Amino acid sequence: VLRLYQRTMTGPVTPELSGMKDLGGREVTALVPIVALTIILGLFPAPILNVINPAVERVMQSVGATDPEPTVPAITVADTVTEFELPSINYSAIAPILIIFGAAVVSVLVEAFAPRRARRPLQLVLVIGSVIAALVVVVSLAGTRLVTAEGAIAVDGPTLVMQGTLLVVALLGALLMAERGIDPQGDAFAPRASALPGSEDEREFTERGYLQTEIWPFFLFALMGMLIFPAANDLLLMFIALEVMSLPLYLLAGMARRRRLLSQEASLKY
């Protein structure tokens, strides 16, 4: 797969890159323990499973997933039909997440329908405005302690502190990503993700001042996942938050302009 991607996306190896190794000593040192641990756990999983089994069984019993004395009662059609009940959600408690999610959806629409020249200013106003609005809401929620969404989300002091920290860092990160005055070649992202690194197309797109405004929807969706993560009160929501956070981040890594080959490799391997 890597060979197919290399031949399709990056073309033939240039002379200046011909001496670059696939894996250096640092990468080998990091990968060997991971590969060895994966093989050992795949062949002999019992030591780990024996440690976690008691905790898993207690959790399953607490939610009614197991029965010490299994029985098979008679099941009728009436028993299988249950009414759907809407979960109780405190929307004010999750307002910071909803603000960023709404801004991410609008950001996608801006990419789809706004003219090219208007996209960058619209995206910057949308991103910075939504992050500031979410930060204000987080501050206003100080002192809140509750569990909502049928126990899936917990909002308390540590949650709000982490969300506030994430929003402050996100605001600074957005300003750095939007900076164009330091580097004469543009911002931190390649003018086109499809252009081969160092190719004539890439140089031409850079000279014309092309910008990838698609980075801002990715930025907002990744931030939304980060905000959900500290509020997650069960493993399923935590896993969803992790995926929502990480997938856009690795797409952003693949579009980074500096050290593009390494950025694309990191994005693809994820």
Side-chain angles (χ1 to χ4, degrees):
V1 174
L2 293 177
R3 177 64 64 181
L4 176 62
Y5 177 84
Q6 187 270 328
R7 294 178 63 87
T8 304
M9 301 299 294
T10 63
V13 179
T14 58
E16 57 269 19
L17 297 177
S18 59
M20 181 180 292
K21 297 180 180 179
D22 292 335
L23 290 176
R26 181 174 57 184
E27 289 84 359
V28 172
T29 303
L31 284 176
V32 166
I34 297 175
V35 173
L37 185 61
T38 302
I39 295 174
I40 293 172
L41 291 180
L43 296 176
F44 307 101
I48 300 298
L49 295 180
N50 292 337
V51 172
I52 66 174
N53 272 341
V56 173
E57 290 176 357
R58 284 196 297 270
V59 172
M60 295 180 66
Q61 290 177 359
S62 66
V63 299
T66 60
D67 187 353
E69 296 180 359
T71 58
V72 184
I75 299 176
T76 63
V77 175
D79 294 331
T80 61
V81 179
T82 57
E83 294 184 1
F84 176 75
E85 295 182 3
L86 292 175
S88 176
I89 301 176
N90 189 323
Y91 290 100
S92 62
I94 62 173
I97 299 172
L98 296 179
I99 290 173
I100 299 300
F101 174 66
V105 174
V106 174
S107 181
V108 173
L109 296 178
V110 169
E111 285 299 311
F113 299 106
R116 181 186 300 276
R117 293 184 177 275
R119 290 176 190 170
R120 177 179 168 82
L122 287 176
Q123 295 284 22
L124 290 178
V125 171
L126 180 62
V127 170
I128 295 175
S130 62
V131 172
I132 293 176
L135 182 59
V136 171
V137 173
V138 167
V139 174
S140 69
L141 290 173
T144 302
R145 293 178 60 88
L146 56 86
V147 177
T148 185
E150 300 299 325
I153 296 177
V155 179
D156 53 12
T159 298
L160 295 175
V161 169
M162 285 186 282
Q163 288 183 340
T165 303
L166 287 170
L167 289 169
V168 171
V169 174
L171 181 59
L172 296 176
L175 295 175
L176 288 174
M177 290 168 61
E179 171 60 42
R180 298 186 62 197
I182 298 177
D183 194 334
Q185 295 185 357
D187 57 15
F189 295 89
R192 282 292 180 273
S194 58
L196 299 178
S199 65
E200 185 64 31
D201 290 340
E202 186 177 47
R203 287 191 291 269
E204 184 176 352
F205 286 138
T206 302
E207 292 174 359
R208 292 184 180 182
Y210 280 19
L211 297 171
Q212 285 197 120
T213 51
E214 299 92 336
I215 63 175
W216 299 113
F218 293 147
F219 176 87
L220 290 172
F221 278 114
L223 178 59
M224 182 187 72
M226 295 178 191
L227 294 179
I228 297 174
F229 206 90
N233 200 38
D234 59 37
L235 292 177
L236 177 60
L237 185 62
M238 186 178 295
F239 174 77
I240 294 173
L242 176 64
E243 294 302 317
V244 173
M245 173 188 70
S246 58
L247 290 176
L249 282 179
Y250 277 90
L251 289 173
L252 289 174
M255 293 188 291
R257 181 168 60 83
R258 298 175 179 85
R259 306 183 72 181
R260 282 202 64 199
L261 288 176
L262 293 177
S263 300
Q264 289 184 350
E265 181 183 5
S267 179
L268 176 68
K269 285 183 176 178
Y270 173 80

